[in-house]
């Protein structure tokens, strides 16, 4: 249990507390935080869809809006699925701690410690990639592009994430930016926090399978004389029984997690496929336009 607490739980605990998804100490403030996070991301989706009320609906426009809206919708589903299933997260966590606390063999403890180290490094990797992606997006691909009109003195604002707030976007530019950036940061944090939690769980599930394999190998390290000895036979049967027990436990943990999240994951997978398809279509359209322009210039 020490390995899970020190090498795995600490970083994951911080990320889930930040999101308000930690299954312990569900105070009123935590519930309010979760409500505000959900409201913020859902409101961005709504303000993107309201653009259909004020803009002519073309195929390119619809694809552009939904390619961004679906990403945020994915994050909303992910966030709320973990909020609803916090008892599942808590149950698995406590059972993992219980199973690991019962390990006495130093090699088995070493396997779990190794899993804790891997889970920690994976979590660090996810966090660094997410921070780098958000930083690059904010600096190199800003959400707001500002340009001066040649025949007018005012600023012309064009959102790369198209929204319609039904207010003067120039006047409330900073509030709109704050809303957009906050929603995107929450969305990315949700994906990262839940991803490192799931990978951490499954890394430890794999560790339990590894322990089962180790126990079977230890049980099979016998010679013909030891097999004929009745006392040794009982020891071998006991070792095999322990290996089967922890193997069954690992399977039960895996199936329990997947069963309770299967509906949310089904929606998430469908949204990922649609979102990727729409974005790839946009990329291919832009690429074809660039090739067409370059070809026309050369000719």
């Amino acid at each position: 249990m020490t390995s899970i607490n020190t090498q795995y739980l600490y970083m994951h605990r911080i990320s889930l507390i930040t999101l308000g998804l930690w299954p312990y100490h569900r105070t009123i403030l935590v519930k309010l935080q979760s409500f505000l996070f959900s409201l913020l991301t859902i409101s961005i989706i709504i303000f993107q869809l309201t653009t259909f009320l004020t803009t002519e609906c073309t195929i390119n426009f619809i694809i552009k809006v939904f390619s961004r809206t679906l990403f945020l919708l994915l994050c909303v589903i992910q966030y709320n699925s973990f909020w609803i299933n916090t008892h599942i997260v808590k149950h698995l966590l406590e059972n993992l701690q219980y199973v690991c606390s019962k390990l006495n063999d130093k090699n088995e403890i070493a396997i779990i410690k190794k899993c804790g180290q891997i889970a920690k490094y994976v979590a660090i990797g996810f966090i660094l990639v997410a921070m780098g992606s958000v930083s690059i997006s904010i600096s190199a691909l800003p959400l707001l592009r500002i340009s001066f009109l040649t025949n007018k003195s005012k600023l012309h604002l064009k959102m790369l994430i198209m929204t319609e707030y039904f207010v003067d976007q120039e006047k409330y530019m900073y509030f709109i930016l704050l809303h957009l950036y906050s929603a995107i940061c929450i969305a990315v944090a949700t994906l990262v926090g839940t991803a490192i939690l799931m990978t951490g769980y499954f890394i430890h599930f794999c560790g339990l399978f590894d322990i089962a394999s180790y126990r079977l190998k230890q049980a099979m390290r016998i010679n013909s004389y030891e097999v004929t000895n009745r006392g040794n036979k009982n020891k071998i049967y006991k070792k095999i029984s322990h290996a089967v027990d922890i193997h069954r436990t690992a399977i039960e943990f895996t199936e329990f997690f997947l069963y309770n999240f299967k509906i949310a994951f089904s929606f998430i997978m469908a949204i990922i496929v649609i979102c990727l398809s729409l974005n790839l279509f946009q990329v291919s359209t832009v690429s074809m336009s660039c090739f067409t322009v370059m070809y026309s210039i050369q000719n």
Side-chain angles (χ1 to χ4, degrees):
M1 186 169 68
T2 302
S3 62
I4 292 183
N5 280 332
T6 58
Q7 300 177 26
Y8 165 57
L9 270 186
Y10 178 75
M11 188 169 296
H12 297 67
R13 178 172 177 266
I14 295 299
S15 63
L16 293 181
I17 287 176
T18 303
L19 292 169
L21 295 177
W22 184 242
Y24 299 93
H25 309 297
R26 304 297 293 274
T27 62
I28 295 177
L29 288 177
V30 172
K31 294 179 180 178
L32 178 62
Q33 175 191 359
S34 300
F35 173 75
L36 291 176
F37 280 7
S38 297
L39 181 63
L40 190 61
T41 48
I42 292 172
S43 64
I44 283 292
I45 295 174
I46 293 173
F47 287 129
Q48 287 186 77
L49 295 178
T50 52
T51 55
F52 291 114
L53 301 176
T54 58
T55 308
E56 182 182 357
C57 293
T58 62
I59 296 297
N60 289 333
F61 177 76
I62 293 172
I63 291 174
K64 184 177 181 180
V65 171
F66 277 105
S67 63
R68 291 153 176 79
T69 303
L70 288 175
F71 169 75
L72 292 172
L73 179 61
L74 181 152
C75 299
V76 170
I77 294 174
Q78 184 87 329
Y79 186 93
N80 286 281
S81 66
F82 273 81
W83 171 259
I84 293 170
N85 292 304
T86 48
H87 62 287
I88 305 300
V89 176
K90 183 178 180 180
H91 176 78
L92 282 173
L93 184 57
E94 291 175 347
N95 280 275
L96 263 177
Q97 289 178 328
Y98 175 78
V99 171
C100 293
S101 67
K102 295 297 181 180
L103 300 177
N104 296 317
D105 188 283
K106 63 179 182 180
N107 292 320
E108 295 177 359
I109 294 173
I111 290 172
I112 287 297
K113 285 185 177 181
K114 183 180 178 181
C115 291
Q117 287 286 350
I118 294 172
K120 182 176 70 173
Y121 293 141
V122 169
I124 293 172
F126 271 115
I127 292 171
L128 291 177
V129 169
M131 291 176 63
S133 300
V134 171
S135 300
I136 292 172
S137 299
I138 292 175
S139 59
L141 297 172
L143 296 174
L144 188 65
R145 187 172 67 195
I146 304 176
S147 60
F148 286 98
L149 294 177
T150 55
N151 57 348
K152 294 183 180 180
S153 59
K154 65 178 183 179
L155 287 173
H156 175 66
L157 307 178
K158 185 176 181 180
M159 296 290 182
L160 296 181
I161 292 183
M162 301 184 66
T163 55
E164 179 56 67
Y165 290 85
F166 301 104
V167 295
D168 187 348
Q169 292 194 3
E170 295 177 15
K171 183 178 180 181
Y172 298 99
M173 178 183 68
Y174 295 108
F175 292 104
I176 293 173
L177 281 178
L178 178 62
H179 189 206
L180 287 170
Y181 282 125
S182 299
I184 289 174
C185 289
I186 292 171
V188 173
T190 298
L191 292 180
V192 173
T194 54
I196 63 177
L197 177 69
M198 289 187 292
T199 53
Y201 273 153
F202 282 103
I203 287 171
H204 281 82
F205 296 162
C206 291
L208 296 181
F209 285 119
D210 200 8
I211 291 173
S213 176
Y214 167 78
R215 288 181 177 180
L216 280 175
K217 289 179 181 178
Q218 293 299 310
M220 294 297 103
R221 286 183 178 178
I222 55 176
N223 53 46
S224 58
Y225 172 76
E226 291 175 330
V227 172
T228 57
N229 187 298
R230 185 175 183 83
N232 288 331
K233 277 187 177 181
N234 292 333
K235 289 181 180 179
I236 294 169
Y237 294 154
K238 189 175 182 180
K239 288 181 179 180
I240 293 175
S241 175
H242 289 166
V244 172
D245 285 342
I246 199 164
H247 185 272
R248 183 176 62 248
T249 300
I251 292 176
E252 288 174 352
F253 285 170
T254 305
E255 291 180 345
F256 180 74
F257 182 87
L258 294 176
Y259 176 79
N260 286 279
F261 283 90
K262 64 180 180 181
I263 296 176
F265 288 167
S266 299
F267 282 108
I268 288 171
M269 290 177 65
I271 291 172
I272 289 174
V273 171
I274 297 172
C275 190
L276 284 175
S277 301
L278 294 177
N279 281 283
L280 288 174
F281 177 79
Q282 289 187 89
V283 171
S284 63
T285 303
V286 172
S287 300
M288 288 297 295
S289 300
C290 292
F291 285 131
T292 303
V293 171
M294 292 175 63
Y295 180 78
S296 61
I297 292 174
Q298 290 177 356
N299 294 333

